[in-house]
């Protein structure tokens, strides 16, 4: 059943989160096009807001460049969350190229666990997922309880289409990852992202060779082994 929150605009959802949760709510982004739209809307609501990203140690140089650009443009400081293990320590503990053998475990170590530790400080987190992106995301609501991490989750863009996202970016001259113009519609770690070809799904370039479509952050339960 629809709740009143499901009818909120993205701006209203963000205002609700900032008003109700103050400094105990944060945007969490990997700086895809949806994240950039959300950051831009948030920056028009209030000058200061918390923005968290997970730096897995395997991000593209273009993603780091975009982070620096948006810190400059919006005058904010991104809170970077790091995995407990450095890439070398992970290799010592789990062997080389874990992402090729067990990407669920790798995402668990490098994404889910660090985010879990960070979210323990908060009462709510704001994501930029859209319901059309994956089967898992189809059931997402604008305002929901995240039982996995134990806090409120706000998804202000859940009912936006990809066309609406790009329309907003172009109309408002919002910065975006230059890899999108080189055939990468969805961008994660270097080892698990490839360019797509025309006709492929936007997320076909993520974890190529695996059925995996989610890193585990937006699953109601962590991907198998992700908490190991
Ligand atoms: S996206 Fe790939 S490299 Fe990055 S954490 Fe997940 S499995 Fe590891």
């Amino acid at each position: 059943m629809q709740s009143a929150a499901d009818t909120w605009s993205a701006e209203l959802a963000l205002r609700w989160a900032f008003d109700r949760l103050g400094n105990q709510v944060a945007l969490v982004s990997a700086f895809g096009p949806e994240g950039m739209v959300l950051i831009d809307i948030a920056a028009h609501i209030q000058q200061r807001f918390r923005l968290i990203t997970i730096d897995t140690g395997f991000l593209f140089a273009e993603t780091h460049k975009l982070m620096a650009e948006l810190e400059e443009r919006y005058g904010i400081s991104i809170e970077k969350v790091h995995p407990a293990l450095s890439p070398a320590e992970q290799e010592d503990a789990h062997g080389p190229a874990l992402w090729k053998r067990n990407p669920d475990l790798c995402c668990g170590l490098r994404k889910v666990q660090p985010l879990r530790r960070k979210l323990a400080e908060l009462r709510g987190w704001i994501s930029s997922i859209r319901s059309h992106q994956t089967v898992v995301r189809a059931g997402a609501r604008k305002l929901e309880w995240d039982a996995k991490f134990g806090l409120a989750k706000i998804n202000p863009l859940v009912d936006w289409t990809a066309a609406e996202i790009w329309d907003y970016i172009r109309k408002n001259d919002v910065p975006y990852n230059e890899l999108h113009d080189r055939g990468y519609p969805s961008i994660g770690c270097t080892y698990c992202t490839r360019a797509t070809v025309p006709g492929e799904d936007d997320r076909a370039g993520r974890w190529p060779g695996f059925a995996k479509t989610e890193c585990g952050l937006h699953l109601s339960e962590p991907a198998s082994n992700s908490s190991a």
Side-chain angles (χ1 to χ4, degrees), residues 56 58 99 103 106-107 110-111 189 191-192 207:
T56 62
F58 300 142
W99 51 89
C106 187
C107 277
R110 309 206 75 74
K111 293 185 175 182
C189 294
Y191 296 122
C192 301
W207 301 285

Side-chain angles (χ1 to χ4, degrees), residues 7-99:
T7 66
W8 291 348
S9 66
E11 183 184 340
L12 194 56
L14 280 169
R15 283 188 188 281
W16 182 91
F18 292 152
D19 290 348
R20 287 291 185 96
L21 303 172
N23 205 37
Q24 288 184 299
V25 68
L27 271 75
V28 177
S29 180
F31 312 111
E34 291 82 4
M36 298 310 300
V37 167
L38 205 51
I39 291 163
D40 192 76
I41 298 173
H44 283 94
I45 294 173
Q46 61 184 47
Q47 200 178 2
R48 302 229 171 274
F49 57 91
R50 294 183 68 179
L51 175 58
I52 292 168
T53 196
I54 306 162
D55 185 348
T56 62
F58 300 142
L59 301 181
F60 285 90
E62 289 84 351
T63 305
H64 287 289
K65 183 177 161 207
L66 178 62
M67 282 191 244
E69 190 180 343
L70 72 91
E71 284 186 320
E72 170 81 19
R73 173 172 173 140
Y74 298 107
I76 54 176
S77 180
I78 301 168
E79 298 176 46
K80 293 175 183 145
V81 177
H82 299 277
L85 300 179
S86 69
E89 288 168 338
Q90 178 168 303
E91 183 162 338
D92 284 347
H94 298 281
L98 184 60
W99 51 89

